[in-house]
Amino acid sequence: VYVSDEMSPDIRVLANPGSSEWKWLREIYGQFQKDVEADGARFALLLLPLAYQLEEGYPYLPQNVFADYANEKGISLFDPLPFFREHRDEKIFMGRHRYHARDIWHLTPRGHQLLAAFLAQRLRSQIPHASHLGRQGRFLQNALLRSKPLNKKH
């Protein structure tokens, strides 16, 4: 799901589990989950925040609705918002650049680095013992275990 300031629906729609957009999204995610699990994999959601959600007291948090949905459906949810807030003094989002006056969606190289560190940490905690993962699973586990912890600033 992509929310932007160019679209008429905004973040408030995703913070409302009764909205028609959320009902549509539940159907789409339900089909994705079914298809992914039919292929023998686990479906997961990555929820990237918008830049202004890093501000303390920002009132719209669709993350709560996504978390409820993920819990209900048994889906892993990767929500880096709290982690990003810990690093809010770093330039995580593009902001003003030659293609957009206020880019609140696209990550900077540092933002991508922070996201990668967050995901590596979360995935490490979810990987079971390698003995039953198969060759590809052991490869992923070894790669994650070799990844370096994140420095506060780079």
Side-chain angles (χ1 to χ4, degrees):
V1 176
Y2 177 76
V3 175
S4 77
D5 64 352
E6 295 108 8
M7 299 171 57
S8 55
D10 62 26
I11 196 168
R12 291 173 289 196
V13 175
L14 295 179
N16 176 4
S19 71
S20 59
E21 289 83 358
W22 240 111
K23 290 175 185 172
W24 172 82
L25 197 55
R26 288 177 67 87
E27 290 177 27
I28 297 298
Y29 284 164
Q31 188 59 52
F32 282 163
Q33 183 178 11
K34 186 176 161 184
D35 292 346
V36 167
E37 291 174 355
D39 284 340
R42 286 183 49 201
F43 181 66
L45 295 172
L46 170 61
L47 183 59
L48 292 176
L50 301 175
Y52 41 74
Q53 288 187 283
L54 302 185
E55 299 170 13
E56 279 303 321
Y58 183 77
Y60 303 109
L61 295 173
Q63 286 81 353
N64 298 331
V65 178
F66 278 87
D68 290 344
Y69 175 78
N71 285 333
E72 174 190 325
K73 298 295 183 180
I75 298 169
S76 293
L77 175 66
F78 298 97
D79 176 13
L81 178 59
F83 184 75
F84 279 10
R85 282 182 172 169
E86 291 174 17
H87 297 271
R88 79 180 80 206
D89 293 336
E90 300 178 50
K91 187 164 171 56
I92 296 174
F93 293 92
M94 294 292 291
R96 185 176 185 82
H97 57 84
R98 71 183 196 175
Y99 300 112
H100 201 285
R102 65 174 196 172
D103 189 338
I104 59 171
W105 321 274
H106 296 104
L107 300 175
T108 62
R110 180 62 177 156
H112 281 98
Q113 186 182 43
L114 289 167
L115 180 60
F118 166 79
L119 289 172
Q121 176 188 21
R122 286 290 310 277
L123 289 171
R124 254 189 234 111
S125 71
Q126 292 193 3
I127 293 181
H129 297 289
S131 59
H132 69 280
L133 290 176
R135 190 169 142 232
Q136 290 178 330
R138 284 191 301 276
F139 174 80
L140 175 61
Q141 183 186 47
N142 288 333
L144 288 171
L145 291 175
R146 282 192 312 269
S147 66
K148 296 179 182 173
L150 178 70
N151 294 329
K152 178 71 176 164
K153 291 218 178 200
H154 196 142

